[in-house]
Amino acid sequence: MNKDIINKVDKYYTDKIREYGTTSKGVDWNGKASHFLRFDQLSKVLKEKENFSIMDYGCGFGSYIEYLIDNNYKDFEYFGFDISDDMIKEAKQKYNMPNIEFLNSIDSIEAVDYIIASGIFNVKLDTDTKEWEAYIEKTLMSINNKAKKGFSFNILTSYSDEEYMRPHLFYADPMFYFKLCKERFSRNVALLHDYDLYEFTIIVRKV
């Protein structure tokens, strides 16, 4: 994986958590309502409410755990992965539970039932667009290889209002990623673009 990209993104999010702490702004979202609305969409990949394993890819300080508990998901095994050591440190302090593990590498995880990835493809900074797109595809391949039952991810949409688009962010063509996932990962793919945020969510079901 491109170390230059990883280092830039790491610094960006580490700066956020140091400035805003364990809040939605600390993972670069505007507020908790939109933060958890994203979790609503991503969680549509889950077929069961209990007894499953899940990896939160780009977990930040682990706020998806709060979402799972609040929505009555039970007896799940959670793995949170993030490239920012500061994020992992905060997450471990916030969620010290026996079914929870936080990691700065996914190499030790052979496979989980589900993987969600929220916001990890948005902040390209000064990376060339083609290079960023290649990074996304490589990351999706890695996620697919680790997810047994399915995975979900979101990206800012190219259908955003132009006056609100920012140059350091990546805005993707939803149909490109729908097609990519249909052709490479599963015949059962859903594109969600109906929840009033400037983004879309892809759901990939493998079983």
Side-chain angles (χ1 to χ4, degrees), residues 95-144:
Y95 299 102
N96 183 15
M97 302 160 66
N99 59 323
I100 305 298
E101 185 175 354
F102 292 100
L103 314 157
N104 55 20
S105 170
I106 64 170
D107 293 342
S108 62
I109 305 299
E110 186 172 333
V112 293
D113 292 327
Y114 302 101
I115 296 177
I116 68 155
S118 184
I120 68 169
F121 301 130
N122 293 342
V123 184
K124 76 177 184 67
L125 303 174
D126 61 354
T127 302
D128 175 77
T129 298
K130 291 294 183 184
E131 187 179 2
W132 187 255
E133 289 171 342
Y135 164 71
I136 292 176
E137 290 187 38
K138 189 172 182 179
T139 303
L140 289 176
M141 292 288 286
S142 177
I143 287 173
N144 177 66

Side-chain angles (χ1 to χ4, degrees), residues 12-32 35-36 38-39 58-64 82 84 87 118-120 122-123:
Y12 180 87
Y13 281 102
T14 296
D15 288 347
K16 291 293 180 183
I17 192 73
R18 289 177 179 176
E19 182 176 359
Y20 296 108
T22 54
T23 66
S24 294
K25 286 189 175 182
V27 285
D28 206 33
W29 296 125
N30 290 330
K32 187 172 180 178
H35 191 175
F36 278 55
R38 292 178 174 93
F39 289 156
C59 65
F61 57 84
S63 51
Y64 187 56
D82 205 279
S84 169
M87 289 286 189
S118 184
I120 68 169
N122 293 342
V123 184

Side-chain angles (χ1 to χ4, degrees), residues 1 5 15 47 49 61 77 102 105 109 125 139 148 152 155 185 205:
M1 195 164 285
I5 290 177
D15 288 347
K47 285 190 172 183
K49 295 283 287 190
F61 57 84
E77 188 178 14
F102 292 100
S105 170
I109 305 299
L125 303 174
T139 303
K148 293 185 289 186
S152 57
I155 311 182
F185 304 136
R205 301 187 189 281

